[in-house]
Amino acid sequence: MLLDLTASSVDLTRAICDIPSVSGDEVTLADVIEASIAPLEHLEVIRHGNTIVARTNLGRSQRVVIAGHIDTVPINDNLPTRDVDIDGERHLWGRGTVDMKGGVAVQLKLAAELTAPVVDITWMWYDNEEVAASLNGLNLLAADRPDLFTADFAILGEPSNGQVEGGCNGTLRAIVRTRGVRAHSARAWIGENAIHRVAPILSRLSEYRAKEVAVEGLAYRESLSAVRIAGGVAGNVIPDLCEVEINYRFAPNKTSADAEAHVRGVLEGFEVEITDAADGARPGLDAPIAQQFVAAIGAEPRPKYGWTDVARFSALGIPAVNYGPGDPHLAHHDEERVPLAQIDAVEHGLRAWLTAP
C-alpha cells in the first residue's frame, strides 16, 4: 500500500488514521510511510526501527526538525474515521485525528511537495510516544544517531488548536505511602489502619492551589494531583499499607530536582518515593528563527501545559515549539475529532514559512 501524497492533507489524515497503529503495533503504518516517501529524490530516507527520517540536503544555512509520532492510544470503537458536522463546522472523527495524525498528514504532504524549502528540513515520524520513554522512537533515535538531531529549531506536530505552544511543563510522579498494623476487622483496635492515615495526604492535595509561573513571557499553570490510590488486604482485615500515586506538573523554570524538593516539602512527614520525572522545556521563542516562524504563522504563542517531546529537543539545546491541528482536550478522548479547516490552516502556515523568500 502507498499513500497518495498528492492528495489533500485532510484526505491523507483519513488514510493514515484508518491504518491502526496503537503503540507497539506501528510497523504497518511505518512500512507505508517509508514506501510512500522512498521514491522522492529530493529526500534522504533513513529507517530506525519503526521511526522514519527523511531529510533535505540543500546546503542551507539553517536546519529545522519537524517531527510527529505515528502511534495512538488504544482504539475504542472509534475507527474507521468519519466526517461529522458540529455546529455547522466539518470535522474528521476517529482515533488519532487529534493526537496526532492530522499533524503527521500535513508533514507528509509538505515533505513530498517542498523540494526547495528556504531551510534544510529533517522530517521525523516516530513510534511509541504514548508509552514508556525507554520505547520512545525519538529517544532511541537520538541515542543511536545524534547526528540527525543537528538543527537550529524544532517543531513538533502535537495538537495545539493550530496555534503555537512554546515549550512544555515538566512532569513528576511519586508514590506516597502510609503504613499500619494488620488485624482482624472485628478487633480493629488491635491494628493500625494504613488507609485511615492517608486522610492528611488527601487534605494537603485538595487544599493545594495551582500556581501560574511566568517563563519568558508565557504563563505555565502547575498542578499537584492524586491520580491513584491503592490499599486493602481483604474485607475483614485492617490494612497495613496504603499508597497514593501523585502527579506534579511543573513549570519549565524548574528542574526535576526542584520539583522533587517541592513535592517532598508539600508532603513532609510522609514516606515519598519518586517513580518518574521529566524536565519540561523553556519556550524557546527568543531564538531569531523561532520569532520568524511565529511571525510567519501570525500566531500569539501560548504555553503547553502537558509534557511533550519538545523537551527532548530542548535538552539538546534546540529551541522547540508545538504546532499542529486539533484540540488538546480531545486527545485520547473517545470523541476525538479535528476540524477540517484547522488541518488546512496548519498546512498553509507551515508552507508559507518554509517557502518564504
Side-chain angles (χ1 to χ4, degrees):
M1 175 182 175
L2 294 177
L3 297 169
D4 180 3
L5 299 180
T6 68
S8 70
S9 290
V10 169
D11 286 340
L12 276 173
T13 303
R14 289 192 186 95
I16 63 175
C17 284
D18 286 339
I19 301 173
S21 58
V22 174
S23 301
D25 192 24
E26 301 96 330
V27 62
T28 299
L29 181 54
D31 287 346
V32 168
I33 290 174
E34 181 184 25
S36 300
I37 63 169
L40 301 175
E41 294 182 357
H42 65 284
L43 294 174
E44 175 192 7
V45 179
I46 301 156
R47 180 156 182 167
H48 183 273
N50 288 325
T51 293
I52 312 299
V53 178
R55 61 180 180 174
T56 64
N57 293 295
L58 301 169
R60 303 296 196 232
S61 62
Q62 292 180 303
R63 179 174 290 276
V64 175
V65 172
I66 303 179
H69 65 81
I70 63 173
D71 63 319
T72 72
V73 296
I75 297 164
N76 189 24
D77 295 326
N78 47 6
L79 280 184
T81 55
R82 66 173 186 263
D83 284 15
V84 295
D85 187 280
I86 299 175
D87 297 327
E89 183 177 34
R90 293 179 65 215
H91 291 67
L92 183 65
W93 173 96
R95 176 63 77 225
T97 52
V98 170
D99 193 13
M100 53 166 285
K101 291 182 176 179
V104 168
V106 168
Q107 294 168 7
L108 286 167
K109 182 171 180 61
L110 293 179
E113 294 183 357
L114 300 185
T115 58
V118 296
V119 294
D120 269 313
I121 307 172
T122 301
W123 305 94
M124 295 180 175
W125 300 290
Y126 61 100
D127 61 331
N128 280 312
E129 187 271 349
E130 300 289 3
V131 290
S134 60
L135 300 174
N136 183 293
L138 199 65
N139 193 35
L140 297 175
L141 182 67
D144 288 349
R145 291 293 308 271
D147 57 299
L148 296 178
F149 288 77
T150 300
D152 302 282
F153 184 49
I155 300 169
L156 196 65
E158 287 283 356
S160 62
N161 266 323
Q163 299 297 314
V164 176
E165 293 184 335
C168 67
N169 274 337
T171 181
L172 176 147
R173 288 198 297 270
I175 302 294
V176 189
R177 295 186 178 88
T178 57
R179 300 183 184 275
V181 176
R182 289 193 194 187
H184 197 297
S185 59
R187 299 171 182 82
W189 58 90
I190 302 300
E192 297 176 10
N193 195 310
I195 291 178
H196 293 179
R197 289 182 171 181
V198 304
I201 297 172
L202 300 180
S203 292
R204 292 187 199 182
L205 294 174
S206 64
E207 293 168 3
Y208 185 88
R209 293 296 172 259
K211 300 176 182 177
E212 283 198 352
V213 180
V215 182
E216 297 174 14
L218 300 183
Y220 292 84
R221 187 170 184 177
E222 299 188 330
S223 62
L224 180 62
S225 309
V227 294
R228 184 182 64 88
I229 188 167
V233 180
N236 60 352
V237 177
I238 299 301
D240 60 343
L241 176 66
C242 188
E243 297 182 332
V244 180
E245 183 175 3
I246 64 168
N247 184 211
Y248 178 38
R249 299 293 175 137
F250 55 93
N253 66 324
K254 296 183 178 69
T255 65
S256 295
D258 295 332
E260 177 177 348
H262 179 73
V263 167
R264 291 190 184 280
V266 171
L267 297 168
E268 185 176 2
F270 291 96
E271 179 185 334
V272 177
E273 178 190 356
I274 306 300
T275 57
D276 185 48
D279 288 346
R282 299 184 77 88
L285 296 170
D286 53 349
I289 190 172
Q291 294 172 0
Q292 294 163 9
F293 167 70
V294 171
I297 298 298
E300 182 177 346
R302 304 172 180 179
K304 187 70 170 180
Y305 295 136
W307 189 93
T308 74
D309 278 316
V310 295
R312 301 192 191 281
F313 292 105
S314 180
L316 295 170
I318 304 169
V321 299
N322 305 277
Y323 178 63
D327 182 348
H329 291 96
L330 291 175
H332 303 183
H333 198 288
D334 287 344
E335 294 301 320
E336 190 173 349
R337 60 186 183 273
V338 61
L340 304 190
Q342 209 171 85
I343 299 174
D344 290 335
V346 169
E347 179 195 331
H348 176 78
L350 277 175
R351 185 189 298 274
W353 177 59
L354 292 169
T355 59

